[in-house]
Structure formats: C-alpha cells, structure tokens
Amino acid sequence: MRFQTASYDLAQALVGTGYGVALVSRLALTRVPRTTHRPLADPPLHRDLHAVTRSDTALTPLADVFRTLLLDVATDLRGGWSPQG
C-alpha cells in the first residue's frame, strides 16, 4: 500500500506503528516511540534556506530575534547530526 501525506507527524506515527517508512526533514523529526532515524547516505539531501530583508528598512526587534534564531539553527545543523533511535 502507498500513502502520501503532507503531515510529518502522521508519517512518523505510521512508522511508529509499523505501517510505514518515511523520508522526513531533520527539522521536522520528533521522537516517536519505536522509530529509528537514519540519514540518507548517497546522495545526501540538503536544503538551502534564505532570509530576505529590505535594505532600506530596519528590522523590528522581533524580526531581528527571528533572524538570529534562524542563523543559530542553521549553524547547529551545519555542525552535524547524529541519528537517535
């Protein structure tokens, strides 16, 4: 049986019940019981994220905090990831 969903939570729940195998972004991983996470070996997949701001307008304080959080997460992800089961 083949099933497609836009919900990462549902896909991981199906894997946890033994009814599925799923490709899930590291950003969407949750620790669902009875699941194991493994990176794809060849070719490794990647995603480019971009934050675009206007050059003629200062960021609001909240937008600046959000941009900083995005940079922190990107730095953490670049540093490596070890699968946990």
Side-chain angles (χ1 to χ4, degrees), residues 1 3 10-23 34-35:
M1 173 174 47
F3 182 78
L10 178 58
Q12 292 174 90
L14 288 170
V15 172
T17 61
Y19 288 107
V21 174
L23 294 176
R34 296 178 305 280
T35 62

Side-chain angles (χ1 to χ4, degrees), residues 2-3 15 18 22 42 45 51 56 59 71 84:
R2 182 176 145 186
F3 182 78
V15 172
D42 192 24
L45 299 179
D56 62 346
L59 292 177
L71 291 171
Q84 298 174 5

Side-chain angles (χ1 to χ4, degrees), residues 10-67:
L10 178 58
Q12 292 174 90
L14 288 170
V15 172
T17 61
Y19 288 107
V21 174
L23 294 176
V24 177
S25 166
R26 284 188 289 173
L27 294 173
L29 281 179
T30 57
R31 299 295 171 214
V32 175
R34 296 178 305 280
T35 62
T36 301
H37 305 101
R38 303 191 190 289
L40 292 177
D42 192 24
L45 299 179
H46 73 279
R47 173 186 305 184
D48 293 325
L49 299 177
H50 301 271
V52 178
T53 60
R54 292 180 55 134
S55 62
D56 62 346
T57 305
L59 292 177
T60 64
L62 186 57
D64 191 40
V65 168
F66 181 68
R67 184 187 59 83

